[in-house]
Amino acid sequence: MATGIRDKVAILGMGCSKFGERWESNAEDLMVEAYTEALSDAGIETKQIEAAWLSTAFEDIHVGKSGVPLAMALRLPYIPVTRVENFCASGSEALRGATYAVASGACDIALALGVEKLKDTGYGGLPQRSRGALNSMYWANVSAPGNFAQIASAYRAKHGVGKEDLKRAMAHISVKSHDNASLNPKAHLRNKVTEDQVLNAPMVSEPLGLFDCCGVSDGAACAIVTTPEIARSLGKKDLVSIKAMQLSVSNGTEAQHNSWDGSYFMTARIAAGRAYAEAGVKRPRDEISLVEAHDCFSITELVTMEDLQLSPEGGAVRDIMDGFYDRDGKLPCQIDGGLKCFGHPIGASGLRMTYELYLQLLGRAGARQRAKNPVRGLVHNLGGFPNQNVCSITILGQHGA
Amino acid sequence: MAGISAIGAYIPRLRLSRKLMTEANAWFNPGLKPYGKGERAVANWDEDVVTMAVEVARGVLGKTAGTGPGAIYLASTTAPFAVRQNAGIVAEALGAAGALRTMDVGASQRAGTTALLAAFDTALARKQRVLVLAGEKRHSPAGSVQEMTSGDAAVAVLVEEGDGIARLVAQRSTSVDFVDHYRAQGREFDYGWEERWIREEGYLKLVPPVIAGVLVDAGVSADAIHHFCMPCTLSRVPQAVAKKAGIADDRVRGNLDGVCGDTGAAHALLMLAQVLETAKPGERILVIGFGQGVDALLFEVTAGIDKARPDTVASSLAARKELASYSRFLAFNDLVKLERGLRAEADKQTPLTTLYRNRDMILGLVGGRCERCGTIQFPKAAICVNPACGASGSQVDQPFADFHGRIQTWSADQLTYCPDPPAHYGMVQFDEGGRMTVDFTDVDVGAVDVGMPMRMVFRIKEVDSQRGFVRYFWKAAPVSAAIAA
């Protein structure tokens, strides 16, 4: 019987580049920027890394395919390097590869690095890409905001939430994320915004306005993982260890079977249930200290609070308006600004979210540090479309907690 | 003896005011002012001759019991493909492909009546039902008279042995290389000659002798004609021809000029369809096709008309929606160099192998039904999607085209490239079972909501502007906007 990943792997070091419109940098520069910080934080040398995972989702507009770009940029010593892609959960997938490698005993120290260089397309929003030969012939003409906006229509219908009430709760989410990012020097969008600004912004995809959509950014993030024992032997005292890593992937039920009502993320509920079991979390609302949710769009964050069992079903609007998820609330969500304002370089995002929790758990988050160091944090990534997606949940915390 | 057993029309719902058109062009050509009356029918950006033909054919076949057609003839001078049989695309979309004779008829404004004549021959010779489709999506230079006078539509006529609702009593044709307008291979627009000459040397000299011949063949006199249907955009010409042929002025039927516009090769059949919506048993209808010669078809309305009275000209004229923008019309018809943005540049090449392998699914909207648990699903797959079933190899073909559904989720998207933003799409759940996330069409901004009833329509999904290929698929449209089913 599998016992799960809890406390088997510790984070030895992490790094994250400045996110934003990095006109001056290639993807390789961003990789090195994140890696240099992580290597220094880990206190090791490149030759000690035994295996590596690279995550990118739009590789065709920057580094291209395979693990070679990572090995070349970091001059890795001819070790195994694997490139992974799983929509917007790619970064967490790289971390899962490295974590599993260490947990299996196949290697002592492994690297996960995610990068995306999105601002070389010539237009705003995510790059256009093929959806596959047959999919392109019958899928709706979707964009990312249009996909996620679908959730809002079904959520309103199911819970009887008025258009204005939902829009206001969504606006609260975005105002909060801008406010949080203003304290984060590495964040892409650091300006504060008002609720009126958010509500009056141009419509992107009904009901999502400009401020309901996350930033499209360049950036990279990196983690070096090892066993708790090796981390201690390398002089680390306060350890952050991985409590759970779960992934749930749609099999067509949402898109093709009439059992899903469109108002929530089936994968998120399944992955969260498994992750809490793996981490030994019984009462998520009380036991999770911080959450980095995949706030690609404000509505995604809102619905996700329920899918993660942090708010009761149909109760997210109230919790959000009560400030429950604000920086000074009981359970801050996106304390670093989130995808919304830290930015969303796809392949790096899961690792960037992990980076923030790692800093918070160690009390190293600077101006935005929680007064009382958190015990457990949760990273939630969602990739794809509400009706067919991948959802990754990582729980990390103080070692032994 | 063979007759028309069913007839239907599809006039797309968008209408453009001719006043708007003349006002937009008056600075250049004030001479257009007399044309600024009424409105013309405009195909949506995602409609063409093939999609309109599919729509009108579904209406006619849906009301007809018995076997499917043994032949489908498609008449048009504006069909989307010069090579790739357009009638064949229609047949796939109708689920009628296979043992079927298909044919495109074109190259003349007379193509509609010629195809209809050929259908009568086929119906008699092969003792099969023949579906004649005629449609045009007119393409004319901005600011031209033709742009003012023309309209978009499609007509379907089902021909078979027996009397039907109208039987063909007599017919005659002539061939004369009278070039009132032409369009050479590879050219975008028609090129026309002086209207006075077309009237005097064309209609007035070429049509009356053919009418006389048909009347002789039928053994009736000119005053036995109750309805004279001759498409012509030139003022008073049908009346002048009628007079010369001995047909009274009040027998000349209107050409839908004020409400639709001239629909080219489809127009004679459109006028016939309209007349049959009110004609009485025993009445005779004379239909003229003009273009490098003349076709004349004399019909007699039968008692069958009272049991199968067509009504789709009236209903599709009633289901109108104002297109309150001339520039939008120009963009829909690719008559202006619009900045479409970098997102529009994405490569839309269609792998023809993939399309062929999946043609039932893409062109016919055929999904699957699990014979083990009954779950209806799209697409059809090797393993049943029902979590409680999961049977392998258990699915049979399940057409979705005639399903009705309701909107479960939706959005109006300004970001994605769409020729008519915002792009509406969402998940439609079908009453019969199954669901799909699909593009919406013929919807109005602000009028879409969860629970709205929808039906499926065959439309252009994308155009590969680099290679000229048109990619078709099905979209969901509001039930209210559809022609009465």
Side-chain angles (χ1 to χ4, degrees):
Chain A
M1 180 70 184
T3 53
I5 202 76
R6 184 179 179 183
D7 284 341
K8 288 177 182 168
V9 177
I11 297 176
L12 189 60
M14 287 202 77
C16 184
S17 77
K18 167 94 174 78
F19 280 17
E21 293 170 328
R22 298 288 304 267
W23 309 118
E24 77 295 349
S25 300
N26 288 323
E28 287 77 3
D29 302 320
L30 301 172
M31 288 195 259
V32 170
E33 188 176 323
Y35 177 64
T36 305
E37 182 188 346
L39 196 67
S40 154
D41 181 34
I44 60 166
E45 296 174 63
T46 295
K47 65 183 182 192
Q48 292 173 266
I49 297 167
E50 294 165 272
W53 276 260
L54 167 66
S55 53
T56 59
F58 288 89
E59 81 291 344
D60 52 331
I61 60 165
H62 50 97
V63 297
K65 295 194 185 300
S66 90
V68 171
L70 184 67
M72 298 278 277
L74 308 187
R75 303 298 185 200
L76 295 174
Y78 285 82
I79 58 171
V81 183
T82 305
R83 188 182 80 85
V84 295
E85 184 279 317
N86 217 353
F87 286 154
C88 295
S90 298
S92 291
E93 283 289 72
L95 181 61
R96 197 160 65 100
T99 299
Y100 279 16
V102 168
S104 75
C107 61
D108 285 339
I109 299 177
L111 173 86
L113 189 146
V115 65
E116 215 72 63
K117 176 73 196 163
L118 295 175
K119 296 303 298 180
D120 280 341
T121 57
Y123 51 85
L126 286 177
Q128 295 282 122
R129 58 183 155 168
S130 168
R131 306 182 183 285
L134 182 57
N135 292 340
S136 296
M137 292 182 193
Y138 79 98
W139 282 15
N141 177 18
V142 293
S143 71
N147 267 317
F148 283 86
Q150 308 282 318
I151 284 277
S153 63
Y155 187 91
R156 277 189 51 218
K158 183 179 186 182
H159 297 293
V161 182
K163 201 172 181 174
E164 304 307 319
D165 291 339
L166 188 65
K167 189 81 180 154
R168 197 163 298 276
M170 284 156 51
H172 186 99
I173 286 172
S174 300
V175 169
K176 171 262 297 169
S177 292
H178 274 267
D179 195 52
N180 292 349
S182 71
L183 299 175
N184 184 350
K186 287 185 176 176
H188 181 173
L189 303 167
R190 302 191 60 199
N191 58 317
K192 295 189 178 196
V193 298
T194 64
E195 191 181 278
D196 278 351
Q197 269 178 285
V198 176
L199 292 174
N200 297 321
M203 192 63 80
V204 175
S205 196
E206 170 76 31
L208 304 177
L210 184 63
F211 287 97
D212 291 301
C213 307
C214 74
V216 171
S217 324
D218 304 328
C222 176
I224 299 170
V225 294
T226 187
T227 64
E229 297 71 31
I230 294 170
R232 285 221 171 81
S233 75
L234 289 168
K236 298 289 177 188
K237 293 201 168 54
D238 299 324
L239 292 190
V240 170
S241 61
I242 292 166
K243 309 293 183 186
M245 292 202 88
Q246 290 294 334
L247 187 77
S248 175
V249 178
S250 295
N251 71 358
T253 301
E254 303 100 303
Q256 299 161 19
H257 188 255
N258 292 2
S259 51
W260 178 66
D261 67 20
S263 73
Y264 63 96
F265 295 93
M266 217 170 117
T267 52
R269 293 187 178 186
I270 292 166
R274 286 208 296 255
Y276 291 137
E278 187 175 31
V281 170
K282 304 274 188 308
R283 290 166 288 108
R285 190 174 166 102
D286 301 323
E287 296 178 53
I288 300 293
S289 337
L290 276 176
V291 59
E292 286 286 325
H294 196 89
D295 57 328
C296 49
F297 302 96
S298 55
I299 187 65
T300 321
E301 179 173 329
L302 186 149
V303 169
T304 297
M305 296 303 100
E306 299 177 11
D307 293 338
L308 298 179
Q309 304 169 34
L310 302 175
S311 288
E313 194 174 336
V317 169
R318 184 169 171 182
D319 277 342
I320 287 160
M321 298 311 287
D322 284 351
F324 186 77
Y325 298 112
D326 290 356
R327 191 170 69 245
D328 56 359
K330 181 154 181 310
L331 176 45
C333 182
Q334 340 293 41
I335 199 165
D336 60 350
L339 302 175
K340 172 72 191 78
C341 295
F342 200 140
H344 188 21
I346 312 293
S349 280
L351 287 159
R352 182 277 300 166
M353 296 152 95
T354 307
Y355 173 76
E356 177 65 15
L357 294 183
Y358 171 77
L359 294 181
Q360 291 279 351
L361 287 160
L362 293 174
R364 287 164 43 185
R368 63 188 187 280
Q369 177 66 43
R370 280 288 269 181
K372 186 165 166 267
N373 281 6
V375 179
R376 257 180 232 95
L378 183 148
V379 171
H380 158 268
N381 283 131
L382 194 84
F385 321 94
N387 67 0
Q388 51 192 82
N389 59 74
V390 304
C391 180
S392 162
I393 305 237
T394 304
I395 298 174
L396 53 161
Q398 312 283 359
H399 186 63
Chain B
M1 185 61 68
I4 292 170
S5 57
I7 189 165
Y10 172 71
I11 299 169
R13 73 171 194 143
L14 295 177
R15 306 285 191 277
L16 184 61
S17 145
R18 291 209 185 86
K19 188 159 175 283
L20 211 62
M21 301 172 80
T22 51
E23 281 170 359
N25 290 295
W27 65 274
F28 184 76
N29 185 1
L32 291 173
K33 199 163 180 216
Y35 296 95
K37 298 186 197 83
E39 59 189 15
R40 58 158 291 179
V42 178
N44 205 345
W45 74 267
D46 59 356
E47 294 185 290
D48 65 11
V49 167
V50 165
T51 69
M52 291 191 290
V54 170
E55 182 65 16
V56 74
R58 291 174 73 201
V60 162
L61 294 176
K63 288 179 187 165
T64 313
T67 56
I72 297 179
Y73 299 161
L74 174 60
S76 180
T77 63
T78 50
F81 285 92
V83 176
R84 179 193 181 186
Q85 197 188 50
N86 297 284
I89 309 171
V90 174
E92 292 284 355
L94 294 174
L100 181 75
R101 176 182 287 186
T102 48
M103 177 168 71
D104 283 354
V105 184
S108 168
Q109 190 174 264
R110 191 159 54 102
T113 48
T114 305
L116 185 56
L117 285 170
F120 275 98
D121 294 345
T122 307
L124 287 170
R126 293 166 61 93
K127 307 197 183 309
Q128 282 177 328
R129 285 181 158 172
V130 182
L131 180 63
V132 178
L133 303 168
E136 299 275 24
K137 183 179 186 179
R138 308 294 302 271
H139 191 65
S140 326
S144 64
V145 168
Q146 195 191 38
E147 182 182 52
M148 306 291 139
T149 58
S150 60
D152 305 331
V155 185
V157 188
L158 194 61
V159 175
E160 58 189 295
E161 280 194 298
D163 284 349
I165 58 174
R167 61 189 182 90
L168 183 65
V169 176
Q171 49 90 12
R172 274 206 187 193
S173 298
T174 57
S175 175
V176 182
D177 187 32
F178 179 79
V179 189
D180 54 336
H181 68 277
Y182 72 94
R183 187 170 77 239
Q185 186 78 263
R187 293 298 181 123
E188 189 175 3
F189 300 117
D190 294 352
Y191 186 84
W193 214 248
E194 189 184 353
E195 291 180 356
R196 296 177 60 80
W197 174 71
I198 297 169
R199 184 181 62 196
E200 299 299 329
E201 290 294 304
Y203 286 100
L204 282 170
K205 284 198 178 159
L206 298 178
V207 179
V210 183
I211 295 177
V214 152
L215 294 177
V216 167
D217 291 350
V220 297
S221 59
D223 57 10
I225 303 301
H226 300 83
H227 307 280
F228 179 59
C229 300
M230 188 184 83
C232 179
T233 57
L234 305 178
S235 178
R236 298 289 305 165
V237 169
Q239 288 80 0
V241 169
K243 188 176 179 188
K244 211 166 165 185
I247 299 167
D249 207 52
D250 64 355
R251 306 289 168 92
V252 178
R253 293 296 158 250
N255 61 2
L256 295 101
D257 173 59
V259 291
C260 172
D262 184 276
T263 61
H267 209 62
L269 308 191
L270 183 64
M271 291 174 70
L272 172 62
Q274 189 182 38
V275 165
L276 284 169
E277 294 184 4
T278 53
K280 296 182 183 66
E283 289 185 341
R284 291 183 197 85
I285 306 168
L286 180 60
V287 179
I288 301 296
F290 180 83
Q292 290 78 58
V294 179
D295 291 326
L297 296 84
L298 182 59
F299 293 97
E300 188 178 305
V301 182
T302 71
I305 192 78
D306 290 326
K307 291 195 286 282
R309 176 76 68 184
D311 60 4
T312 47
V313 176
S315 62
S316 60
L317 282 175
R320 62 182 285 285
K321 164 80 182 174
E322 182 99 25
L323 178 67
S325 158
Y326 179 66
S327 62
R328 209 161 143 210
F329 164 81
L330 294 180
F332 282 10
N333 287 280
D334 220 4
L335 291 165
V336 61
K337 289 196 189 304
L338 193 68
E339 171 57 63
R340 293 179 190 270
L342 268 61
R343 286 182 179 277
E345 295 172 13
D347 194 331
K348 298 182 175 72
Q349 188 191 38
T350 296
L352 299 176
T353 41
T354 313
L355 174 60
Y356 179 69
R357 196 162 56 234
N358 296 283
R359 64 191 185 283
D360 285 356
M361 169 189 170
I362 300 301
L363 299 177
L365 200 67
V366 174
R369 181 173 52 81
C370 176
E371 288 196 299
R372 179 84 64 85
C373 71
T375 298
I376 288 171
Q377 51 208 284
F378 190 92
K380 184 180 169 185
I383 303 173
C384 178
V385 74
N386 178 5
C389 175
S392 192
S394 62
Q395 293 183 42
V396 294
D397 283 354
Q398 173 63 59
F400 273 63
D402 293 332
F403 281 8
H404 282 71
R406 284 174 191 279
I407 294 176
Q408 181 90 7
T409 70
W410 69 279
S411 183
D413 190 339
Q414 291 282 0
L415 181 67
T416 195
Y417 169 69
C418 175
D420 186 27
H424 286 82
Y425 51 82
M427 182 178 280
V428 172
Q429 184 147 310
F430 297 105
D431 301 342
E432 296 84 352
R435 55 168 52 172
M436 65 180 72
T437 300
V438 69
D439 291 318
F440 299 165
T441 190
D442 290 353
V443 293
D444 299 321
V445 175
V448 176
D449 212 350
V450 170
M452 189 166 161
M454 305 294 270
R455 65 187 282 271
M456 301 307 290
V457 293
F458 188 74
R459 293 293 173 104
I460 295 170
K461 176 146 181 57
E462 286 174 323
V463 175
D464 177 357
S465 53
Q466 201 181 328
R467 304 172 189 85
F469 195 75
V470 183
R471 184 181 275 182
Y472 297 99
F473 188 57
W474 295 74
K475 299 182 184 181
V479 168
S480 54
I483 55 176

